[in-house]
Amino acid sequence: VRSTDSAKIYNGVNSVIKGNEETAETLDGNKKIFVVDGTPPMSTIVQPVAGAFVNSILTISGTATGDLAGLKSAANNGVKVRLYWEDGSTKYFWQGSTYTTTETYLLLNTFSSESGTITWSVQSSTLPTPSALDKTTYKVWVSAEDKAGQLGIGSTVTVTVDRVAGTIVSTQPVTSQYFGGTGAGSGSPTYAGKPINVLAGTAVDAGPAGADVQTVQVTIKQSTSTLYWDGDGFDVNTSSWILANGTTVWWYLPSPAPFITGWEYQAQARMLDRAGNISTDPASGFITFLYDTAVPTVSVLEPNAAFEKTLTVLSGIAGDNLYALPQQNAGIERIEVSIRVENGAQASKYW
């Protein structure tokens, strides 16, 4: 900017047309430097993730850029963030302690810079506690404003709140059961074997549609040694959760076969849904079971002679005490007897 007055210099013949002139270089006050920025600022939401299932909202954060002008400061709402839920056409905005129908911006942490691409985040102390998230669908909206006064186009992400844990059931093993026996396949009745080469069960999610069972995990502990299975042996002193196969129907096949006869084991299964809710079976503690492949002993005491005049009682002894502590025995469950005719008209017939 420059200015010229109307004063003229007389040279004896005529006046000089040009008057006194001041230029921008004469005084700094006459010079202004400015930047033309016609690009609106841009902003994105990084957390929470669009379409996510959550059981809490612990972080709301993202990025923004103000192009040439740079963003206004956080205190001047350089980034504007709203959290709200909708009931029909009415929006209810979280304002730090409750919901209101008045559009409210959440308080942000101070930006480390206002130029270039910055990272922004909402002050965690102003976010709703899990108990305040009593609706199913929530939306987070963000927009940015630069120092040229331009407001960027806002963007919105939607999340689904699920605070209900599902149910998981272990069908094998079952607590206080014994495993390892090969069963009895002849005679009547027959008894199926009770192997324990696989842990299995079911799981179901109780949250909103789409929350679903995400993963099932199992942990196995050797009771006496208190060591946990880590995928290839009982090698660790702290609980080690191993990923199982399947979801609503799940199973885990440990390999190599981990169970040693005469030892007691403890197991627990847990499921996680897409919102991060966890449920376990049992809810506390462990499913305890004994693995025993040793065959019990049994012998007949009566009859005790090759010839008997009468037979009023059959008696004998049985035992399942093959192990010494810390190993354990399953114990005798039942004694069964079979009487067969060896000769005569009734030969090979059973009582």
Side-chain angles (χ1 to χ4, degrees), residues 261-344:
T261 184
W263 287 88
E264 184 182 76
Y265 295 88
Q266 295 178 318
Q268 189 182 44
R270 73 179 183 184
M271 63 152 284
L272 293 81
D273 65 16
R274 292 178 62 190
N277 298 303
I278 299 175
S279 57
T280 62
D281 182 36
S284 62
F286 291 87
I287 296 169
T288 302
F289 63 96
L290 181 70
Y291 187 70
D292 182 4
T293 62
V295 178
T297 60
V298 62
S299 61
V300 178
L301 296 180
E302 289 288 343
N304 62 357
F307 299 93
E308 295 282 352
K309 182 171 60 177
T310 61
L311 184 60
T312 59
V313 64
L314 278 74
S315 66
I317 58 173
D320 190 40
N321 54 355
L322 302 178
Y323 303 126
L325 293 176
Q327 291 176 285
Q328 303 178 49
N329 303 281
I332 301 297
E333 181 179 18
R334 66 171 67 88
I335 303 293
E336 297 174 324
V337 297
S338 174
I339 306 173
R340 189 179 72 166
V341 179
E342 290 295 321
N343 50 41

Side-chain angles (χ1 to χ4, degrees), residues 45-51 84 138-142 155-159:
I45 299 169
V46 176
Q47 289 289 338
V49 176
Y84 63 95
Y138 287 82
K139 294 185 178 183
V140 178
W141 173 91
V142 65
S155 61
T156 304
V157 301
T158 301
V159 296

Side-chain angles (χ1 to χ4, degrees), residues 16 23 85 121 132 135 140 146 167 174 177 185 237 276 292 327 330 338:
V16 178
T23 66
W85 59 274
S121 61
K135 308 301 178 185
V140 178
D146 65 16
T167 301
V174 178
Q177 291 290 307
N237 292 307
D292 182 4
Q327 291 176 285
S338 174

Side-chain angles (χ1 to χ4, degrees), residues 1 24 26-32:
V1 177
T26 305
L27 295 173
D28 287 341
N30 295 339
K31 180 172 62 176
K32 300 294 182 183

Side-chain angles (χ1 to χ4, degrees), residues 63-278:
T63 62
T65 178
D67 200 55
L68 297 175
L71 296 170
K72 290 185 176 180
S73 66
N76 290 316
N77 294 322
V79 174
K80 312 169 194 295
V81 182
R82 301 187 185 114
L83 170 65
Y84 63 95
W85 59 274
E86 296 173 308
D87 182 9
S89 61
T90 304
K91 296 180 179 179
Y92 294 86
F93 299 90
W94 178 254
Q95 52 85 21
S97 60
T98 188
Y99 294 94
T100 175
T101 54
T102 302
E103 292 188 357
T104 304
Y105 299 138
L106 300 177
L107 295 178
L108 301 187
N109 295 305
T110 302
F111 306 150
S112 59
S113 174
E114 294 169 8
S115 60
T117 299
I118 63 100
T119 298
W120 58 266
S121 61
V122 174
Q123 295 180 17
S124 59
S125 60
T126 67
L127 293 174
T129 61
S131 60
L133 298 171
D134 56 354
K135 308 301 178 185
T136 300
T137 302
Y138 287 82
K139 294 185 178 183
V140 178
W141 173 91
V142 65
S143 183
E145 186 175 356
D146 65 16
K147 292 176 180 177
Q150 299 178 105
L151 187 64
I153 298 173
S155 61
T156 304
V157 301
T158 301
V159 296
T160 301
V161 172
D162 172 16
R163 297 176 55 221
V164 181
T167 301
I168 184 169
V169 175
S170 174
T171 56
Q172 181 169 290
V174 178
T175 194
S176 301
Q177 291 290 307
Y178 303 94
F179 296 91
T182 56
S186 62
S188 178
T190 60
Y191 298 99
K194 294 183 67 177
I196 183 68
N197 57 345
V198 64
L199 282 69
T202 60
V204 61
D205 185 64
D212 300 333
V213 181
Q214 186 173 41
T215 58
V216 172
Q217 301 168 325
V218 297
T219 185
I220 311 169
K221 181 172 73 170
Q222 206 173 54
S223 297
T224 304
S225 68
T226 68
L227 292 175
Y228 287 85
W229 177 260
D230 63 358
D232 60 10
F234 289 95
D235 304 318
V236 293
N237 292 307
T238 57
S239 181
S240 177
W241 290 100
I242 308 297
L243 183 66
N245 298 289
T247 52
T248 54
V249 176
W250 59 267
W251 67 97
Y252 174 66
L253 180 64
S255 180
F259 304 118
I260 302 173
T261 184
W263 287 88
E264 184 182 76
Y265 295 88
Q266 295 178 318
Q268 189 182 44
R270 73 179 183 184
M271 63 152 284
L272 293 81
D273 65 16
R274 292 178 62 190
N277 298 303
I278 299 175

